[in-house]
Amino acid sequence: MAISCYCSLWTGSRRVITLWIAVRTGGRVAIQGIILDVDGTVILASKVLDGASETLDILRNRGYKLVFCTQQNQDSDRKLSDRLNAAGLQIYEQEIVSAGTVAVDYLAQNHRGSQVYVVGADSIRDRLSLAGLKVLADRNGETAEVVLVATDPDVNLTRLSVAAEAVRRGADFYVTSLDRGEPMADRIIPGPGSLALAIAYTAGRRPVVLGKPSPAMVAAVRDRLQLPSSSIAVVGDQPAQDVRLGRFLGATTVLVMSGVTTPEALERTSSSYRPDVILPGIKDVPAWLDLNKQKQPS
């Protein structure tokens, strides 16, 4: 069964684009857990989005299990929680599943004791060392058995060249996400995806993605929620990351138009990335959940 309605959104040119919203309810059990993206969903440019804090309170008070799934890889989950709390969002460390933590855990489980070269910030190097990996410096990075690419505010040509040579020699090649850019305080720097692309193009090999929507991230959020896929909703602002994550989980997918996706871009989105539900923003999620609950099969 599908409930259909239409939603009109203003574009920058003041033109109205009408989007079809389909709430698929047939055969689904009630939503019990919600996976929420962070950037573009609850915050944008370090500012809390309208209604985000109140919405999280509503969802918790109604008993929904929440997980915040983010491509962030510099801060530990504890530091990210502290930063979000300082911004005005009550998000607990145990509710966060970040690409950085998934990457560290994955390498610790599959490459413990290996020599790894990191294109990334000092913080993720430190976390890898604590997890039992031998992090190499630039001078001997070409001999690495594993290369990991993450956000790197201090990246330079030497670091990219060393990583490319290690990959060319056969090192296992990973990237925390395919994000093209990372917003900093005063500028946007190339994201892990852009850095990995330069290395891949030079070395002639593609990286394995460990962030959204990879199997490693799917396993991490599934383990955290401990719920059937049919009772999970994934809410985010990017079809290629958040909607695909939901598809791989077998969950209901909800796209919010508060982040990077424009109505025009959504119209061009591949059918395999189309969400089940489109909402203006996070504050509209409780009303959608009410509608979804009313339409559950008796």
Side-chain angles (χ1 to χ4, degrees):
M1 175 183 178
I3 305 163
S4 302
C5 60
Y6 289 87
C7 174
S8 295
L9 299 175
W10 287 98
T11 68
S13 61
R14 305 295 293 172
R15 183 167 62 91
V16 175
I17 291 181
T18 301
L19 301 172
W20 179 59
I21 300 179
V23 182
R24 298 191 180 104
T25 60
R28 288 192 180 275
V29 299
I31 299 298
Q32 301 175 55
I34 303 173
I35 299 168
L36 292 144
D37 175 46
V38 176
D39 293 307
T41 301
V42 295
I43 62 171
L44 188 64
S46 300
K47 294 183 179 179
V48 177
L49 285 167
D50 183 35
S53 181
E54 296 82 358
T55 297
L56 298 186
D57 289 341
I58 291 170
L59 296 178
R60 288 195 180 97
N61 289 336
R62 292 184 182 181
Y64 292 102
K65 294 181 69 174
L66 303 183
V67 165
F68 295 85
C69 187
T70 172
Q71 303 285 46
Q72 197 278 143
N73 62 76
Q74 294 190 77
D75 294 334
S76 67
D77 294 347
R78 177 183 291 276
K79 287 185 178 179
L80 178 58
S81 172
D82 291 343
R83 182 157 57 84
L84 293 170
N85 287 333
L89 288 173
Q90 188 177 41
I91 295 177
Y92 304 101
E93 177 187 0
Q94 61 269 27
E95 293 178 322
I96 295 173
V97 176
S98 67
T101 296
V102 169
V104 170
D105 290 347
Y106 182 90
L107 295 186
Q109 292 168 12
N110 294 279
H111 297 280
R112 181 173 291 277
S114 295
Q115 295 183 333
V116 57
Y117 183 72
V118 181
V119 178
D122 289 341
S123 56
I124 197 165
R125 289 191 182 88
D126 294 341
R127 294 167 68 189
L128 287 166
S129 295
L130 290 172
L133 290 108
K134 301 173 183 176
V135 179
L136 300 180
D138 292 346
R139 63 180 179 275
N140 52 4
E142 293 178 353
T143 64
E145 300 163 283
V146 178
V147 168
L148 175 67
V149 180
T151 302
D152 192 341
D154 301 313
V155 69
N156 53 42
L157 186 58
T158 296
R159 195 167 287 177
L160 293 175
S161 299
V162 170
E165 179 59 20
V167 172
R168 191 188 68 80
R169 293 183 184 185
D172 291 313
F173 184 20
Y174 298 99
V175 62
T176 56
S177 77
L178 293 179
D179 286 358
R180 291 179 294 177
E182 293 277 351
M184 305 300 286
D186 57 348
R187 68 193 191 282
I188 294 178
I189 65 171
S194 297
L195 302 180
L197 179 61
I199 295 167
Y201 196 74
T202 303
R205 288 176 52 206
R206 293 182 178 181
V208 174
V209 181
L210 296 176
K212 291 186 288 188
S214 72
M217 185 65 89
V218 169
V221 294
R222 192 188 300 278
D223 181 67
R224 188 67 59 89
L225 276 178
Q226 294 289 309
L227 290 171
S229 297
S230 58
S231 67
I232 298 171
V234 178
V235 181
D237 71 311
Q238 297 197 49
Q241 295 182 7
D242 304 306
V243 173
R244 288 183 72 196
L245 177 71
R247 287 277 183 269
F248 293 147
L249 274 167
T252 300
T253 55
V254 181
L255 184 75
V256 289
M257 303 299 292
S258 52
V260 299
T261 301
T262 64
E264 295 92 342
L266 184 58
E267 288 184 330
R268 298 190 299 269
T269 297
S270 165
S271 59
S272 61
Y273 297 175
R274 290 289 176 92
D276 297 314
V277 182
I278 304 166
L279 298 174
I282 185 70
K283 66 180 181 180
D284 302 291
V285 169
W288 166 70
L289 288 167
D290 289 341
L291 175 63
N292 188 62
K293 188 178 295 185
Q294 292 169 13
K295 299 299 180 179
Q296 292 303 316
S298 57

